[in-house]
Amino acid sequence: MSTPHLQGNKGDYAKTVLMPGDPLRAKFIADNYLENVRCVNEIRGMLGFTGTYHGVPVSVQGSGMGQPSIGIYSYELYHEFDVQNIIRIGTAGGVAEEVKLRDIVLGQGACTNSNYAVQFGLPGNYAPIASFRLLRTAAETAEALGIKAKVGNLFSSDMFYDDADSLAKWQKMGVLAIEMESAALYMNAARAGRDALCICTVSDCPLRQEFTSAEERQTGFTDMMKLALETVTKLGAELPF
Ligand code: HPA
């Protein structure tokens, strides 16, 4: 039973799926951190892998960039593959003054300029939020690992190159960082009755015109990976899997 975008069969994905935007990051994680790994998706080059980490089953599936793309993959994972937890692991641009390059941000909520919520026909604005269970587990895991993680609102933008130049306004509202996927992920999780969290590494601070090098992004990514995978092991104890 494959879907239009994922070729696997039911049971090919673990209950918890880590989702980097970049499919090659998914391969990097599979190659460097997972045991007993097999590739479960190659459609459109959007690589996905399933294996174990310290004995706990986990999958890693690329999401692509932007809300339409993560909207497709997370929908299929929740509804067709019965996935319980999706943890996005991505990069973000720092927005708040106190957010610096290489910081790790846990997205408690996700504001957006997207119309993604229109499909639900709600008589008002929806507030996309992370699963408290995943957020609490990740925050506790970060503390135990000595990784400082900031927790707060993200801004999921549909535009990377944005003529509206709106970041200063989002900053005034206390938004910590900008990225392009979390709001749709959180909405899909809510609609499916499942769990989602976004963990971001700050790769740039657009308001201050600060950017990390490719090497720095790799280091930041490693801390985020460690945090995500250790969070999975904690969740593993809760899952009948
Ligand atoms: N804008 C949008 N998405 C991003 C950014 C950014 O500055 N940095 C990393 N993802």
Side-chain angles (χ1 to χ4, degrees):
M1 177 238 44
S2 59
T3 66
H5 309 92
L6 298 172
Q7 74 203 50
N9 291 308
K10 250 201 167 75
D12 275 346
Y13 285 88
K15 287 286 175 196
T16 302
V17 178
L18 304 184
M19 291 201 94
D22 181 350
L24 293 180
R25 289 265 195 226
K27 181 166 167 32
F28 177 88
I29 295 159
D31 288 345
N32 290 281
Y33 295 94
L34 303 190
E35 309 113 24
N36 312 307
V37 186
R38 62 201 166 92
C39 182
V40 291
N41 193 60
E42 290 182 304
I43 296 176
R44 289 176 181 254
M46 199 56 78
L47 300 172
F49 301 87
T50 293
T52 56
Y53 179 75
H54 294 173
V56 178
V58 60
S59 298
V60 202
Q61 171 64 55
S63 73
M65 288 182 286
Q67 301 191 69
S69 188
I70 198 166
I72 289 170
Y73 291 107
S74 60
Y75 182 96
E76 292 180 3
L77 289 171
Y78 285 135
H79 293 274
E80 305 298 336
F81 293 94
D82 223 12
V83 165
Q84 180 66 41
N85 308 308
I86 296 181
I87 304 178
R88 167 171 146 69
I89 41 175
T91 56
V95 174
E97 281 287 350
E98 70 270 23
V99 172
K100 310 289 183 220
L101 291 179
R102 295 177 293 277
D103 278 357
I104 288 180
V105 176
L106 306 182
Q108 184 176 15
C111 312
T112 188
N113 54 13
S114 152
N115 279 333
Y116 200 83
V118 167
Q119 65 180 306
F120 305 114
L122 299 166
N125 295 322
Y126 184 73
I129 55 169
S131 150
F132 181 64
R133 185 174 66 88
L134 296 190
L135 179 61
R136 180 172 59 183
T137 306
E140 287 173 356
T141 304
E143 212 172 312
L145 291 172
I147 294 173
K148 284 204 174 73
K150 296 189 163 83
V151 181
N153 235 339
L154 300 171
F155 168 46
S156 299
S157 178
D158 272 351
M159 276 74 71
F160 186 87
Y161 302 104
D162 190 353
D163 221 35
D165 232 355
S166 65
L167 277 193
K169 288 183 177 160
W170 291 106
Q171 187 188 53
K172 282 190 205 167
M173 291 305 289
V175 162
L176 298 184
I178 175 176
E179 49 81 74
M180 303 186 72
E181 290 82 17
S182 295
L185 172 63
Y186 289 179
M187 286 187 245
N188 274 1
R191 181 67 183 84
R194 305 289 166 82
D195 294 278
L197 173 67
C198 175
I199 307 177
C200 291
T201 301
V202 175
S203 59
D204 59 296
C205 292
L207 286 168
R208 296 198 288 266
Q209 287 293 296
E210 294 171 358
F211 306 92
T212 47
S213 65
E215 194 187 335
E216 285 173 314
R217 281 198 291 280
Q218 188 59 48
T219 311
F221 184 75
T222 304
D223 269 359
M224 178 169 63
M225 270 324 315
K226 205 162 59 171
L227 171 55
L229 287 166
E230 291 302 326
T231 299
V232 169
T233 61
K234 277 210 177 171
L235 293 169
E238 297 174 21
L239 288 169
F241 200 80

